[in-house]
Every structure is written in structure tokens, then in C-alpha cells.
């Protein structure tokens, strides 16, 4: 029943970013580390530093992005990057800016059917400038900057505002990054927390011959963005699924107390994912409702597909939560069984030797008159009694089934 | 009570296809073999290889079957089989094809009221060709090929698209196979993952005198297909029911740690079945709603019957889940009781012998002056004290009820 | 405290029919016999043979009673009994038949306002003949014969079809029998599985002066039938209530492992009852909805009363389930406490004697120079030390509260 | 950490009737009994005799009060008391009757705006006579007499029928008494099970200057009656709250097995209260719905206040249930901890003495050649080894943290 | 590792008011003090004195503030403070009164668009006078004074009445204070229980240039008040989050029984918070419904933001509750593991020494004929046997994995 830890261990460590194809090529370096992996990989994420558990305490002042600190200061150069993508079904134009004011000053080409402004990095000044220029609601703009927010979809006139959380596993920890998006029919504005080009492959699809994105409006692009975020959860869940299997095998084999930490860590991660994914499902469901006419008919059909994926993710998550919960019970039961085994060994040894030790003690006594000591075969009789006692006890234990495993 | 797991393991395994009537006739032979059953049958299914836990990671590209890899390559000959059944209330015509293009080129007879195309084996090329020929939605076509999907029912104009999962127990493991169906009033298109003729008995009913299928439209045929899939769950559940009974008897008899694995395995299978059956119930319920006019009135009445069966399956499943959960608690309690018993034996033996062993030790001491050693009946008095001590302890234990069971 | 299971087991068994009034008069005799009650009555019902857990596997063929096997064969004489009751507010006429064809051939009297046909025993031929004669739906007719079905109420034009399950305790086991009923305004058709006259007292009420049944239509009679079935659950629940009390007392007194089986058996029975009663409540609730005009206004008011009783039964059942669940926890805790007690005895005895036994061993050594042996009061000092050690340990245990309870 | 049981124990025992002011004056007699109180007060209420768990088995006959036994016999004199209160905003007239026929014969004064008939004690004859005189529905009248019923509110034309349960703690047990009421705009009829004047203070408020009751119709009086019943639950819940606190302190201090009984008893009482209060909340909520025009506008506003109180009671109850459930877990954990402590003492003592006892045994052997025995400082070396062994084991235990707490 | 609970207890206590910014600057000093933190901070709040568990028993008399005791007596001077704030978009006027009659006598300036009367301290006289002057409903006024009430929002004509609870941690205990508010479009009346200026920073925002409050009506001010109350929960939750992390670390390290008390205390606090926050979420949700036209459109948009925060607080709370529940399970498992470890040490030591102690006993016997004693290398052989026995047992234990961990 020994498992060879060197077999296929490459799947154990959650990759720092599971969609990165280059990442999987690095996996072999972790071969041969299954033992330590169980101990060290995926270590108890430090709850204190996990960003999504408690949002930063509100500032207690007036609501709205224009009341945020540093709203009137330009960000440090390089801390925020803006990508502006204009396209119609014929052409695509991608430009990158470091300065929001330059972006706002640049003219939108007349042929541009859809403009996508993608902001990497958050700064109140940038958010506020975009709010003013594009007419966003101040509470929505504050939610972009005041991360993390609960996932939601809100409608302001012909504008839709969506907040979702994108999970990733970095530095052996589950982390989430807020992705916020404002969409109208001809414009999409997305924000992400850090400079990390997560839309690369999506941008690559724009302008490819026959791409549906080019032939559609900005709400279809919003669908594509949400689809990218949601589908990113599948490989992460797969990692947790593999982790649970390993833990299950390990619990059934050894019931090591160390495993409790691991199970607990998995449970907590799943709990945290659930807290984010539940409202996300609702938010995306909101977008697919037929009365939301600011979403184009085509985009709505595709958003239903994203919603299906969200429901599937929740199904898997709940199944994993129940599996993890079963594992805790299983561990407790296996521990009880192990203790039973230990106790049986102790009891068998003690019960066999304690009576005959007493007997040996008796014949070690120094009474003047202790007739058995002078019997001819006294010593042999003594061993005979010991043997008979032991045999009957062994029979008794066998009868009770204590000598088996 | 020793169980030899190598005995008749093949009889223990749930049959590869439980609806086989020959199977039930073999059942009596298993009655006398419950012991071995427990040890080896229904072994912990390997979660990693169970197909339905995590869908394959999405490809990250654009959605739609036309973007699938290999969509423009013909499948290898023999890997996909197509059956085309045309019938009206008078005649039936069944043809089998290996090549989708040949099928599409063949003319539908003018007398054919209903055409049923049944595809065994999945290949993007085949799915895409059928999509083009029959005007299916590209997202639905992708769901046919990108298995497993969550069971669902979707409506596209006068077309209905249904995804269900069919369970089977193969190689000692619970497996699921996706069955997808597109139906209009005069055409049914079904897909299954592997070449495994599961519709044999259904096809046999077409053309039999008085058969209701021949007299009805294609949505009634859809009902018959779904009915076959759902009713297939009953014998599988029956296996799990028998398994739970055996486990229950075993837990109440022996509380072997091995049983924990078995209970855990059953719990996991039930959890997995539930994850699939819950949306299946919803999907079939969706088909019975009176506003779905693409389903004929007659078919709707019969689909309500299928929905009833689905609800019954869920009821049984939830009952089994609770029974399994009770078994875990019961096992823990039985283990505690067993430990209690072990501890009582140890305590009784120790408590009786430890004091008199001390006494024997005392009279084994070599003090110069140890008056009792020289008493006339010292040795007899010693045994008297030992006897009295033992008797009073036995009385004490009897009083506390420790000498029983 | 030894319980002899052979003592008066017949008194312990829940009566075959708990509504018998003679039963309650016998109850006092059971008061003094709680001990034996616990051991033998209400033994673990054999789940395998309990009919309601898994319905018989569907036959895999076409649905409908006309496809059932033996549908064209007459039943064996005596296996099915039919009672035909005709009445108006003036007179009553009861006739019994063995042959369904004779019943169908007999003319209904012109004065008959309500005809009640009661079928005891199920046979496809009988069900099908009645279906043809009375115009029942084939799926409903199949549900009558293909027992057990989930309780439900279905409406076919001016006909209502109701399936309920009637519980009884027979041969120490909880069993259920399906009662199916078709009702129009002037006709009631009921089916039960076995020849067991459960409607005796109800039939007796027909024709009594001032009886509300005679003055009402057939849906009021349907109410009376359902009321009889539902009210039959109260004495059964009362038995389980008494059982739970006995178990509670027993767990708090002794925490015998045998009790676990009993609690488990009660839990399983309650689980099974719940599975049947939950849809039964829904089905009866369905009948009381104001849009069901095939139920007369008067009958609807009375059916609300039956629905109230159903809700009350479910309330009691859920309370019992929670009580039983608490009992399991309580048993585990009591077992832990008992083990604690056992361990304390072992620890106290061991801790007191082990050190002084060592001391006795020391002075049993044969060193040439062992000065204490030659001290004048060496032996007395030895006992002094033993006494002092023991006293201080007893004080230590007293301090920790281990000598109590 | 010892608590002095004589401090303020008067609050521990649930008073026989918590609203009675005279009752609290009797409390001092329970002073000094905290210890025993934990053991004896609030003893496990005898489930068998608790009236509300299972309603009496239905009689199996026709429904309706006119079919009740003894319906045509007058009750024994003195067993039923009727109070008739007539009032308008100027005057009040209270009369007490022993005979329902006399009451019905007495004329209602012409100035009487509201008549309140309060019946103490239940008898079918009285209920039936009132039914005939006041035109009540026979099923409602049966529910008045056939106690206990599930709380509910039913509407018959301009009449409203309400059933609630009033809790009280009598003879150390939680009991419930059914209060039934029929109300129209100008008449209120209330029933209670026993002769126990619970409306004294309410009656006192009628006729007081400025009393809102006198200025309102009979549905406001119905509100006042329900308010009295619901507010009566608060002091009872307060008792349970205090009880839970005491148990919590006790579990964290001692984890006595006796506490398990107490927690179990509290859990059961809370379960029983919940079963009654849940439908009571619904019933009162039903009365506040705006479409119930038989309730006056003013009364409806005040009934919303009663509904608020009901919701508050349920909130508290659910919180208590969760607290009690946590206590069970806590008790199990504390028991485990205690066992751990016991085991550590045993292990420390055994582990220290067993090796050196062996050593002493070695030097008590009688081998001809046992060189150490003849060493010069053999005995001293022996003690040295014993000391060294003990020291290193103590160090080992200290290292593992076993010597703490 | 001994913790001295008297060390720095003042630093451990959650600050009396967590929003104080100076507080967060002090946090780093606590980093090095986690040990002491665990022992003394956040001690088990005394449930008995927690005000929110059970509301004070109702007085049993008529409802309405005018029936409260002392309603006709003026409060003691200084016990109630009233602040009157009048503002429009140009100017602000703040006045403080000790006497409600003086406040009511003072004229409202004609330029005042919004008047905010803030009452600190509750007295029936003051509440009743304001009720009369401002036309409040008597039941609402009673709820202001009869604290604590369940959070709720009620609508009386153009007036809205809101009750919320504000949490704070004072004297190491979680406490709640009721904040009640009446609002119309041009007037806001708020009550709090004690003289504790919690609206300081909010009042400061009135009159600041560009403040949205000045430009809006009184319902926007109501929003600002509710926002202050809800956002106050975040830092409190953060404390509990930190607490849970510390406990988690501690349980995984030591599983001290003391930790159970801590976990239990946290669970209880979370339970109590949940009981208050759940209806608070509903109440605020009620205010955001579009049919509540007494709330201005602008205020409604901002109230949705408060509602979002409430939902977020509930999410966090539920996550914490599940984490705390997992901690209890974890603690039980860790305790089991620790016991396992203790038992293994005992078993290993006993099993090794008990047989050889018996052997030593044998050769200490005084039989006349005990041949081994006279063997030449008897003593060496004895040690050889002991060594062999020990070695084989060590090998056995190693084999079973008992020597690890």
C-alpha cells in the first residue's frame, strides 16, 4: 500500500499562474518532492495577508471617488499603464499610454466601432479623470479603487458596471485580483489591480480573420472578458481536486496530524473562493436577464454560457467542500482506530504479563514456609502455569478478534 | 471471520450494464457471498480518473464548435458510427453509416414522419458538419463535443437541446457518459460518447404493432430516450442500497477501519451522482412546462412521468446520503465502544494484580527484620489477603457494570 | 440488569394495527417491562426487505398498464377482492365481487348518488379492465400497479388521481402499503395492495343517520379515505415517541453499545417515513387549492383539515429526527465519560502502586552493601514512606477532583 | 474558580408561573440550593407526560365537535367557568357563570359594543352549545376541544379563529396550554384548558380611564389577548438563557457527565418550544395581512407589534439552540481534554517507574554470578542510574509540554 | 511558555472605539505579544450582562410610550442631551439643549432646509414630548425607549422609522447600542442610548464646501447616519478576524483546552452579531425599494451602497462562523492526536519493559531447583534475551510507524 511519491508528482504544486502555458513546462523541476510537497507546498496561506477576507476599513468620510486621498495628485510615472484598443470589423489599433490625460486627449478614430480602454494598476487620480471624461457614477468609480468589493453588476442608464474577482495562486497562496468593467454599446473600460497582462490572448483574437469579437459590439467584448476570468477558475479548481485526492489517500493510509493542517487550509481556501464566487454567479446571472437591453442580444446568449460555467464552478466547489468535510471526519475516525490499535497492543502485553509477573513475585518472597519452593518440579510447574495462563489469554484475545490487524 | 479478498471478486463487481435482464437472474448466487463482497467489490473508485469531477480546462480561445481543434479533419474511419432511423406509423427504415457526409447526402424518404440520427462517438468534424446541415447553434454544438457538461435543456426557436448524463458502473467504478439530443417535431439527433449501443431495446420498440412511438412525433421519441437514461439509474441505486445494508450490518458487527474506506467511497459516489442528477431534474422539469410548445402535448404528459422518476431518484439518493452519514457516526461510536471494552479489560487486570504484585514485592524484600516472614501461617495469610483484595475489586467492578459485555 | 430477550417479546412489538382501541387498554401492562422492551421489541427492521426503499426496477419497455406482463390473464380466483358500495342520503348497498368483469357487468342503481369501488389486491388485468371501463389514463393506471410510487395528486380533466402510502407496523417492522384513488364527483375508485379491510370503520359510517358522507359527493368520500390514512400515522408516531423516551432514559443510564443499533434503527425508520410523508403533504396540499374545481367546496374545507394533520405529522417527525440525532451525540459523550471513568480508576491504582512497587523491588535487591536493610526500623520506615506517598497521591487526586463520581 | 452556590440562587429555578408577581416572593425558599438545583431543578421533563409532543390519537370517527363523546352530557358542575365581559367606552360589566346555558340565556345589554366570553376548562358540551349559538364552524370547534392543535389562524366569513399555545413552567416542567379564540368585530370568544385566570391584568385594563381597549372593537381585544400570550414567553426564555449561562460556566469548569443530561433537557425543551412557536409566528403574521378586512385597521397595526415580538422570540430561541448545540460540542472536547490529562499522569508515572522497577528486579535476581552485586558502590551506582533515567525522562516530558496543566 | 495574564492586558483589549485612527498606529506594538494576547484579551464576555441577548421583560400593561413609567416626570438634569442642527446649502447652525421643552420652544430658522435633532440618552418623558410635537406613532416611540429592539424599518405616512444596533467593544466585551431614527424629507430625529458623541465626524462634514449633505434633503442625512453605523462594524470584524487567526495558529500548535473557551467566546459573539445584523440588512434593504417614495432618489442610490456594505458584513460574518466551527473540529482532532501520542509513549515503554521485568522476576524466585541460576553465563544470557526482546519490539514499533512523530 506504500505509494511511490516520485510517480507523477508534477501535478501537485499549484502553478503560480495556471493558464500560462510556459508554466507547465516548468513542472518537472518539482519531481521527486511529493513528501516535502505535502508538507510545504500550498502551505497554510497567511490569512492576515490574504487581501479578500476583510476589505480595508472605510475611511469614515464622505462616499465617492472625488473624496479619496491623493485624488488630485498624478500617480508616479509607470505605476499605471493604459491600453487603448480601437477596432471595427476591418482594422485594429492598439496603443499604450502611461498618462491618463494623454489618453483622454487622443482622438478616437472615426472608423472605430468599439473602443476598449484597459487600465492596469489603480490610482484615484486616474479613476477620477476617467469618471469625469466618461460620465461614470462616483460610487461605482469609488468601488473600482476601493478594492476588494463584492462581485456585482449595476446598471446606470445605458451603462453597465461589473465587478468580479479573478483568482490566481501566487507564492503558494490563493490570491484574488479585482477586475472592474464599465461597458456601453461602443465602449469598454476595464480595470485591474496590478500590471499583469491577463488579456493578452483575448487581445490576440481581436482582428483575427472571422473573429466574432470584431463583428460584435462592446458588450460582446465584455462577455469575452468575463469568460476569461471565469474559465481561469477551472485549472485552479483542478489543483484543489488533485490536492483533495492526495489528502484522501494520505488520510486513509496514515492519518498523520500534519494532514489536519492541510485539510484545514484547503477548507479555508474553498470557503474564501465560495464567498467570492457566489455573488459573482448572481452578478453574471443579472447580465443575462432579458430586460437588460443595454446588453446586445448576441452577447446575452454568450453570457448565458459564462453563467453556466459559473454554476458549474459553484457545483464543483460545493462538492469539494463536502469532500473536505468528509475528510475531517475520516481523519478523526482513523485517529480513533489508530488509538484502538495502540491500546490493544498495550492491553494484550499487559494482560498477559501482569499475572505471571505477580506469580514470579510470589515465588521470590522470603517467607520461612513457602512449600512450593521445595517441590521437586516446582520450577517446571511454575512455567507450566505461566504457559497455560498465556495460552488461555491468547485464546481469549483471539476470540474477541483483537489479534487481527 | 478472515476475509479472503481474492475470492470471487468478479461476482462482487457491479455489472457493467445493470439493465441486462440476465443479470438479475444471477443475483441469488450473490446471497451467500456477502462476506467476500465487503472486502473487494466496489473498491474505492479512483477519483483522479473519474471523468465527471472536473471538466477539461477550457481552451481559452473563442467559444463555438467551429473553433475546436481538428474541426476540419475527418475522424479516423470506424471511430464514429451513425445510425439513421426513418419511420412513420407503417414502416421503419434503419441504416448505419461510418461517414457523416454520406449520411447527409442520403435523401430522407418522403413517407418518413420522424428521422432519428444517432451518433456514437464524438468528433468535432462530425458535430460541426451536422451543425451546418441542421442549423444548430454553435454553442450547443460545442457542448456536445466538450464533455462533460452540466445537464441542461435549452430552447433555440423550434429546436430543443438537451444534455443529460447516463451513469454506468464499469471496471468497478461509477462512470458517466454524456448523452446530448437535439429535437424538433420531425427530427431527433442524439450523441453519445462511445460506441456502445444503449438504444437497442428502444429501437426494437419502433415498428412493433401498436407501438406508441410510431404514432407520435419526434419529441415523444425524445421522451423515450430520456426515459431510458433515467430508468437506468434505478438498478445502480439498488446496488448502492445493497452496499449500504452490507456496510450497516458490518459496522454494527465489527467496526473494522477498512469499512471507513468503503463508506467514504460510497459517500463520494453518491455526492458525484447528486451533482449530476440535481440539474438533470431541473432540465427535464423545464421540458414539461406548458409554455414550451415545441414539445407535443402527448410527449409532455409522458415527460412528466420521467420527471417523477427523476424526483424519485433524488429522494432515494438523499436518503442514501443520510444513511451513509449516519453510518460514519455509527462507526465512530462503535470504535469508541470497542476502545472502552479494551480499556476495561486492561483496567480490570491491572487493578487486580498491581496491588498484590506490590505485596509480593514487599515480602521479597531482604530487610533483616521483617516479622511477617517468620509468622507461622504467613504465606497462607498472604494468599488470604490477595484473595480478599481480588474479591473486593471484582465486586467493585461488578457493581460498576464493567464485567458485562 | 441482564436482559432476557425471550421474555414477553410479543408485548413489546408494536401492534399489527395500532388503531385498535383494545390496544391502549393493554398499555399499562407494559410499564413494568421497559427493560425487556429495549432488548427485543422493534428490532432492527431488515432494510433489504423493506418494500419502500427502492421501487422495483422499471421493465425498460414502453410505459402504460397495457404493456404490463400478465395484463391479458385473469388473476387467480380469490387473489383480488372488489367491494362496490352505492349510496345516496337514504340508502346504502354494499356488494363484494371476486371477478372484475362481473362487477363491471352489474348495473349501477339509478338512486345511487355515489359509487365507491374498493379493490383489495393488485393485478394488471383488473387495473386495466377498470381503466378501460372508467376511462383512466394509462400512466396513472400503471402507477396503481407498479408500487411503490411517490405520493402525488394528478388531475386528468374532471378526474383526480391520488397516490398515498399507508404505514403499518407488522412483524416488528415498519411497512408501507400504497393506497391509490381515482375520484370524480359521483364515483370513487380505491386500490390497496393486500386483502386487508382497512376501510371497515369508514364503511360503517356510511348510512348512519346524520352521517355527512351520505349527504356529500364522492370527493368528500375521498377526503374520508385520506383522513383515515393520515390519522393512522399518529399512533405509529406515538410508538416511536415512546421508543425514543426509553432510549433516552437508557442512554443517560448506561450508554450500552446495543443502544446504538436501536437509535440507528429508529433514525432509519424516521428517515423512511419522512421520504414518504413529505410528498404526501404536498399532494394533499395540492387538492385543497381553490382552482381545483373537481373537488367540491365542502370536501375542500375538510381536506384542509387533513392537510393540517399532515403538517402536524411532519412537525412531529422532524422533532423526533432531531431528538434521535441528539441521542447519538449524547451516546458518544456518555461513552467518552465512561471511558474517562475507567481510565481514572486505572490511573489512580497504577499511580499509587507503581512507585511503591519499585521501592519494594529496591529492597528485594541482593547488593552486598544495602545499608537500609540493616537499619533497625528499616521495615517500618519502608511502610511509612509507602503510606506518605500514597497519602500525597490521594490528596493530589482529590485536588483534581478525580475521586468524585 | 469555585463558585459559591449560595449566591443569588433565587433566579435559577424557573418559577411555576413567571408572570405571577406573588411567585417571585416565594423564591427565597430555594436559596442555598444551587448545587442540588443543577441536579434536580428543571429535571428532565418527562417526555411521556408532556402534553404537546403527540396529540391524542384521533378517534377515527367522523370529524366535527358534534361527534365527540359526551357532547350531549352537561359537564360536572364547577369544571367549566365562563366569564362574560360587556363593555363600551363608558362602562364595563363582568359576570361569571358555571352553566353555559345560563350564559346563553342572559341578554346582552344594548349599550355593549364588545362582548368577551372567556371559557376556562374544556368540555364538548360547552363548546358545542357555543358553536350552535354563535354559528362557529364544526371543525374549528373540534380543534378547540381536541387539544393540542398546531397554532393557526383561519378565516370563516367575518369570523376569525385563532389557536395559540401558551407556555408555562409548572412542577419543574415546561408545559403548554392551548388558547383558542373566535373573534368578530363585536364579539370575542376565548377558550383555555384549565381554570387559571390568566387574563386578570388584561381585564383590569378594561374600563380604566383612557384605555385603548374600551375605545376599540373586539379585534383589538383579540390583539391584547395574543400580546399577553406572546409576551409571556420572554420571562420563560430569560430562564433558559440563565440556565444556559450556568451550564456554560459549569462545562468550562468541570465537564461533569451530569451536565449532559441538563444540556439535553434544555435542548429538548427548546426543540419543543420551537415546534410550537414557528407556526404561531405564521398564524399571527396571517392576521396582519392587509387583505384580512375582518381585522380593524387599528388592531392590525398593533398585531404587527405582536408579530415583531414573535419574530424576536424565534430569534432568541434559535440563538439558544445554537448555543446549546455548541455546549454539547464543548462538553465532548472538555471530556477529551480531561482524559488527555488523566492519560498524561498515567503515562508519566508509568514511564518513569517501569524501567527502574525492571532494574530493581534485575538486582533482585539470584544468579550465582551477578558481578554488580558485589561492586563496592553498586547500590549507589544503582540509585545514580535511577536518578539519571528519571531526570532524562522528566526532561523529555518537559520538552513535550506534558508537565504543564 | 507559561503565560502571565497580568502582562499588558490593556494592550490586548479591543479598543473602546475601533474607528479611532490613532488606534491603528499603535497596532505594531502588539505584534510581539501574541502569546499574552491569547490568554487575557477578549475574555469571555459575561453573557448575563450582555444587554442584547434578552430584551427586558415587557411590562405586561398596555402598549405605547404614554403608558411607560416616569413618562410624566422630567429627566434628571444632564441625563439627556439634545443637539439641534439646522442647515441649508449655505449655512449651518448647531445648538445644544438639556431640556426638551426648551428645544421645542425654539423657533426653526426660515432658511433651514433640514433640521436634525439628535437625542443622547433615553427618557420616556423626552421621547413622549417629541412624539407629541412631531406626530410620531406611539408604538414607534415606545420602541425607541424600550431597548433593545430588533432592527427594522417602518413607514408611517411620509415618515420613516428605522431601528439599528451599533456595535462597540468596551470593557473587553462586545456591546450594542440602539440607534433609532425618524426621518421626513426636511427633518431627522435620531436617538442613541448614551451620551457618547458618535456623530462628531459626520456633523463636521455638514457645512464643508462641496459637501453633498448640505445639497440634499434629510433622507440623505439618514443615509449618512446609517452608513456611519454600518461601516463601524468593519474594524470590529477585523479584530475578530485577527483573533481567529491567532486561535488557528494556536490550535495547530498546542491544542490547549484554554483555547476552547476562547473559540467558544468568539462563536458566541459572532452568533450575537449575526442575530442583530441579519434583520438590519433586511431593514436597510427595505429602504432601498423603489416604491418607498418618502426616500429621495439620491438617498436611495446611496442607501444601496450601505446595503451592499451590510451584505458584505454578513458574508464576512458567515465565513468567520464557519472558520470558528472548523476550529472546534480541529481542536478535537488535535486533542485526539495528542492523546494518541501520549498513549504510544506509554505503550512503547510498557511493552518493552513488562516482559523483561517478568523475566527478572523469574530469576529472583527462590525455588530450590532453578537450574539457569547456576549456569556459567546465566546472567549474560539474561541480558542477551532482554536485548533481543527489546530489539525485536523496537523493530515492531518502527514497522508500525509508532516511533515517528
Amino acid at each position: 500500500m506504500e505509494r511511490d511519491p516520485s510517480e507523477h508528482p508534477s501535478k501537485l504544486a499549484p502553478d503560480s499562474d495556471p493558464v500560462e502555458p510556459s508554466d507547465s513546462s516548468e513542472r518537472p523541476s518539482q519531481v521527486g518532492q511529493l513528501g516535502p510537497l505535502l508538507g510545504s507546498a500550498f502551505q497554510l496561506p497567511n490569512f492576515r495577508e490574504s487581501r479578500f477576507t476583510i476589505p480595508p476599513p472605510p475611511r469614515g468620510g464622505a462616499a465617492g471617488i472625488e473624496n479619496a486621498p491623493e485624488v488630485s495628485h498624478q500617480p508616479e510615472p509607470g505605476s499605471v499603464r493604459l491600453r487603448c484598443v480601437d477596432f471595427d470589423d476591418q482594422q485594429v489599433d492598439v496603443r499604450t499610454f502611461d498618462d491618463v490625460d494623454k489618453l483622454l486627449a487622443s482622438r478616437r478614430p472615426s472608423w472605430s466601432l468599439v473602443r476598449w480602454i484597459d487600465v492596469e494598476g489603480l490610482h484615484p487620480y486616474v479613476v477620477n479623470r476617467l469618471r469625469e471624461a466618461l460620465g461614470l457614477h462616483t460610487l461605482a468609480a469609488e468601488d473600482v479603487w476601493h478594492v476588494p468589493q463584492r462581485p456585482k453588476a449595476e446598471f446606470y442608464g445605458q451603462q453597465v458596471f461589473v465587478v468580479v474577482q479573478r483568482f490566481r495562486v501566487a507564492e503558494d497562496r490563493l490570491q484574488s485580483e479585482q477586475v472592474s468593467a464599465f461597458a456601453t454599446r461602443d465602449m469598454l473600460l476595464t480595470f485591474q489591480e496590478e500590471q499583469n497582462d491577463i488579456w493578452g490572448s483575448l487581445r490576440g483574437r481581436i482582428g483575427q480573420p472571422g473573429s466574432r469579437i470584431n463583428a460584435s459590439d462592446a458588450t460582446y467584448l465584455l462577455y469575452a472578458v468575463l469568460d476569461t476570468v471565469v474559465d481561469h477558475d477551472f485549472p485552479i479548481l483542478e489543483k484543489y481536486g488533485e490536492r483533495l485526492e492526495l489528502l484522501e489517500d494520505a488520510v486513509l493510509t496514515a492519518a498523520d496530524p500534519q494532514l489536519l493542517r492541510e485539510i484545514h487550509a484547503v477548507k479555508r481556501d474553498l470557503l474564501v473562493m465560495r464567498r467570492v464566487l457566489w455573488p459573482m454567479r448572481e452578478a453574471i446571472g443579472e447580465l443575462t436577464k432579458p430586460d437588460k437591453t443595454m446588453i446586445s442580444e448576441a452577447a446575452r446568449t454568450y453570457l448565458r454560457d459564462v453563467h453556466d460555467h459559473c454554476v458549474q464552478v459553484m457545483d464543483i466547489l460545493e462538492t469539494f467542500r463536502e469532500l473536505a468535510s468528509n475528510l475531517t471526519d475520516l481523519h478523526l475516525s482513523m485517529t480513533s482506530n489508530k488509538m484502538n490499535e495502540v491500546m490493544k497492543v498495550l492491553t494484550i502485553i499487559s494482560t498477559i504479563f501482569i499475572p505471571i509477573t505477580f506469580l514470579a513475585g510470589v515465588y521470590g518472597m522470603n517467607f520461612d514456609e513457602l512449600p512450593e519452593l521445595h517441590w521437586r518440579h516446582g520450577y517446571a510447574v511454575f512455567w507450566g502455569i505461566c504457559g497455560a495462563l498465556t495460552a488461555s489469554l491468547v485464546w481469549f484475545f483471539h476470540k474477541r478478534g483483537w489479534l487481527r490487524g
Side-chain angles (χ1 to χ4, degrees), chain A residues 348-362:
Chain A
I348 289 169
I349 295 289
S350 299
T351 307
I352 288 175
F353 283 98
I354 281 177
I356 60 183
T357 300
F358 164 68
L359 212 62
V362 165

Short mmCIF file of all heavy atoms in Angstrom, two decimals, chain A residues 348-362:
data_model
loop_
_atom_site.label_atom_id
_atom_site.label_comp_id
_atom_site.label_asym_id
_atom_site.label_seq_id
_atom_site.Cartn_x
_atom_site.Cartn_y
_atom_site.Cartn_z
N ILE A 348 -2.95 -6.22 25.45
CA ILE A 348 -2.57 -7.62 25.27
C ILE A 348 -1.29 -7.93 26.05
O ILE A 348 -1.22 -8.89 26.83
CB ILE A 348 -2.39 -7.92 23.76
CG1 ILE A 348 -3.77 -7.92 23.09
CG2 ILE A 348 -1.68 -9.25 23.55
CD1 ILE A 348 -3.72 -7.95 21.58
N ILE A 349 -0.26 -7.09 25.86
CA ILE A 349 1.01 -7.31 26.55
C ILE A 349 0.82 -7.25 28.06
O ILE A 349 1.26 -8.13 28.81
CB ILE A 349 2.05 -6.25 26.09
CG1 ILE A 349 2.36 -6.42 24.60
CG2 ILE A 349 3.31 -6.31 26.94
CD1 ILE A 349 3.18 -7.64 24.26
N SER A 350 0.11 -6.21 28.53
CA SER A 350 -0.07 -6.06 29.97
C SER A 350 -0.85 -7.23 30.55
O SER A 350 -0.50 -7.78 31.60
CB SER A 350 -0.84 -4.77 30.27
OG SER A 350 -0.14 -3.66 29.82
N THR A 351 -1.92 -7.58 29.87
CA THR A 351 -2.80 -8.61 30.43
C THR A 351 -2.11 -9.96 30.48
O THR A 351 -2.36 -10.77 31.37
CB THR A 351 -4.09 -8.68 29.57
OG1 THR A 351 -4.62 -7.37 29.48
CG2 THR A 351 -5.11 -9.59 30.19
N ILE A 352 -1.24 -10.21 29.52
CA ILE A 352 -0.51 -11.48 29.54
C ILE A 352 0.54 -11.50 30.64
O ILE A 352 0.65 -12.45 31.42
CB ILE A 352 0.13 -11.76 28.16
CG1 ILE A 352 -0.97 -12.13 27.16
CG2 ILE A 352 1.19 -12.85 28.24
CD1 ILE A 352 -0.49 -12.32 25.74
N PHE A 353 1.31 -10.42 30.77
CA PHE A 353 2.47 -10.46 31.66
C PHE A 353 2.19 -10.09 33.10
O PHE A 353 2.88 -10.52 34.01
CB PHE A 353 3.60 -9.59 31.10
CG PHE A 353 4.32 -10.26 29.99
CD1 PHE A 353 4.02 -9.97 28.66
CD2 PHE A 353 5.28 -11.23 30.25
CE1 PHE A 353 4.67 -10.62 27.63
CE2 PHE A 353 5.94 -11.88 29.22
CZ PHE A 353 5.63 -11.57 27.90
N ILE A 354 1.16 -9.27 33.33
CA ILE A 354 0.93 -8.81 34.70
C ILE A 354 0.63 -10.00 35.64
O ILE A 354 1.24 -10.09 36.72
CB ILE A 354 -0.16 -7.71 34.73
CG1 ILE A 354 0.47 -6.38 34.29
CG2 ILE A 354 -0.78 -7.57 36.11
CD1 ILE A 354 -0.49 -5.22 34.21
N PRO A 355 -0.25 -10.93 35.26
CA PRO A 355 -0.50 -12.04 36.21
C PRO A 355 0.73 -12.90 36.45
O PRO A 355 1.03 -13.27 37.60
CB PRO A 355 -1.60 -12.85 35.52
CG PRO A 355 -2.24 -11.89 34.58
CD PRO A 355 -1.16 -10.98 34.12
N ILE A 356 1.49 -13.19 35.39
CA ILE A 356 2.62 -14.10 35.63
C ILE A 356 3.77 -13.38 36.33
O ILE A 356 4.54 -13.99 37.07
CB ILE A 356 3.08 -14.81 34.33
CG1 ILE A 356 3.53 -13.80 33.27
CG2 ILE A 356 1.97 -15.71 33.78
CD1 ILE A 356 3.94 -14.45 31.95
N THR A 357 3.84 -12.06 36.15
CA THR A 357 4.82 -11.30 36.92
C THR A 357 4.49 -11.38 38.41
O THR A 357 5.36 -11.50 39.27
CB THR A 357 4.84 -9.84 36.43
OG1 THR A 357 5.18 -9.82 35.06
CG2 THR A 357 5.86 -9.01 37.21
N PHE A 358 3.19 -11.29 38.69
CA PHE A 358 2.77 -11.47 40.09
C PHE A 358 3.21 -12.82 40.62
O PHE A 358 3.76 -12.94 41.72
CB PHE A 358 1.25 -11.31 40.19
CG PHE A 358 0.67 -11.84 41.46
CD1 PHE A 358 0.93 -11.21 42.68
CD2 PHE A 358 -0.13 -12.97 41.46
CE1 PHE A 358 0.39 -11.69 43.85
CE2 PHE A 358 -0.67 -13.47 42.64
CZ PHE A 358 -0.41 -12.82 43.84
N LEU A 359 3.03 -13.85 39.79
CA LEU A 359 3.38 -15.20 40.22
C LEU A 359 4.88 -15.31 40.50
O LEU A 359 5.29 -15.88 41.52
CB LEU A 359 2.98 -16.21 39.13
CG LEU A 359 2.56 -17.58 39.63
CD1 LEU A 359 1.33 -17.48 40.50
CD2 LEU A 359 2.31 -18.50 38.45
N ALA A 360 5.65 -14.71 39.59
CA ALA A 360 7.10 -14.70 39.82
C ALA A 360 7.43 -13.98 41.11
O ALA A 360 8.34 -14.38 41.87
CB ALA A 360 7.82 -14.06 38.62
N GLY A 361 6.71 -12.89 41.37
CA GLY A 361 6.91 -12.15 42.61
C GLY A 361 6.63 -13.01 43.83
O GLY A 361 7.36 -12.97 44.82
N VAL A 362 5.56 -13.80 43.70
CA VAL A 362 5.18 -14.66 44.83
C VAL A 362 6.31 -15.60 45.19
O VAL A 362 6.68 -15.75 46.37
CB VAL A 362 3.90 -15.45 44.49
CG1 VAL A 362 3.69 -16.60 45.46
CG2 VAL A 362 2.69 -14.52 44.48
#
